Amino acid sequence: MIFQTQRGQAIPTLLQVKEERKKLDRRADRRHGFWAFLFSFLLTLVGGVMIMLLFLPVLEVSGSSMEPTLQDGDILVLYKPHVIRTGEMCGMYARDRLILKRVIALQGDVVDMDDVGNVFVNGVALQEPYISQKAMGTCDLSFPFTVPENSIFVMGDHRETSIDSRCSLIGCIKTDQVMGQVVARIWPPKSIGWME
């Protein structure tokens, strides 16, 4: 039996109502699924960005001061270490700029350098396989030099062009200014890998 309204339109049957209800439910489920996916995606994205900013900052190499180890345009991942060690490459703030250098000496260490560019820490010559050429570079520091408390002495691997702790323009870096230690190179693709 089909019922009609006053305007002559047919009233749907119970089966038609059930079918229409199923369609509306499916549509609502799809909408709910879309919003749940979007929310999860955004939450993951924000979480990833927060982790990168707080724990694994990313830094792009600018300039030639770390050649031959790093090249201009390399993109690196850093990790904030609990303990800073000599020989590590670190990103740090110096005079309101972010720089990338290698840790040569820690607080209390005595740094010395001869005219040829040999570096000595506490009277022991450093073995530096990461540099291609020794040089005095830009230096207005008097040697031997004792690294102040809560500070580190840093140098670039390209000693001839690097402006670093040898120059009063940069000087020693406070340990709380260290942004992180270089742990991996993620660009360019042919150089992707962990850093030592």
Side-chain angles (χ1 to χ4, degrees):
M1 173 185 269
I2 296 176
F3 295 97
Q4 292 188 346
T5 63
Q6 290 178 352
R7 294 186 180 164
Q9 295 174 338
I11 296 176
T13 66
L14 189 56
L15 184 61
Q16 289 173 325
V17 170
K18 285 181 180 177
E19 286 299 317
E20 189 62 29
R21 186 73 192 155
K22 283 181 186 177
K23 284 181 190 176
L24 292 173
D25 287 345
R26 281 194 298 268
R27 216 177 281 157
D29 286 346
R30 278 194 296 263
R31 243 179 301 174
H32 176 73
F34 170 76
W35 288 113
F37 169 77
L38 186 62
F39 178 75
S40 298
F41 176 76
L42 290 175
L43 191 63
T44 303
L45 185 65
V46 168
V49 168
M50 293 299 290
I51 287 170
M52 292 297 278
L53 290 175
L54 296 174
F55 304 108
L56 298 170
V58 175
L59 173 71
E60 182 178 356
V61 177
S62 177
S64 62
S65 73
M66 288 303 291
E67 289 179 356
T69 311
L70 301 171
Q71 306 299 316
D72 186 41
D74 285 358
I75 298 179
L76 311 169
V77 175
L78 308 180
Y79 173 73
K80 182 83 174 183
H82 296 293
V83 178
I84 299 169
R85 294 183 176 85
T86 58
E88 294 175 344
M89 291 181 290
C90 292
M92 58 205 74
Y93 293 100
R95 302 208 178 239
D96 297 324
R97 288 185 57 217
L98 187 57
I99 63 171
L100 184 66
K101 303 293 178 192
R102 190 175 297 274
V103 178
I104 299 299
L106 307 173
Q107 68 175 7
D109 287 341
V110 178
V111 180
D112 203 355
M113 197 169 181
D114 63 21
D115 295 335
V116 180
N118 293 307
V119 180
F120 303 86
V121 176
N122 299 326
V124 178
L126 290 185
Q127 300 301 313
E128 300 183 287
Y130 41 80
I131 64 171
S132 59
Q133 186 176 359
K134 296 179 181 183
M136 180 58 94
T138 304
C139 181
D140 60 7
L141 192 65
S142 297
F143 290 110
F145 175 81
T146 303
V147 181
E149 191 174 344
N150 299 320
S151 299
I152 56 175
F153 190 94
V154 298
M155 295 171 74
D157 288 357
H158 192 236
R159 297 290 161 79
E160 194 170 4
T161 62
S162 178
I163 305 295
D164 46 44
S165 292
R166 298 171 290 173
C167 177
S168 57
L169 186 64
I170 300 290
C172 286
I173 305 294
K174 293 287 188 188
T175 51
D176 63 358
Q177 295 299 304
V178 175
M179 180 181 171
Q181 169 195 347
V182 176
V183 291
R185 180 173 13 215
I186 58 173
W187 190 263
K190 63 182 172 72
S191 302
I192 290 175
W194 299 106
M195 302 295 294
E196 294 181 18

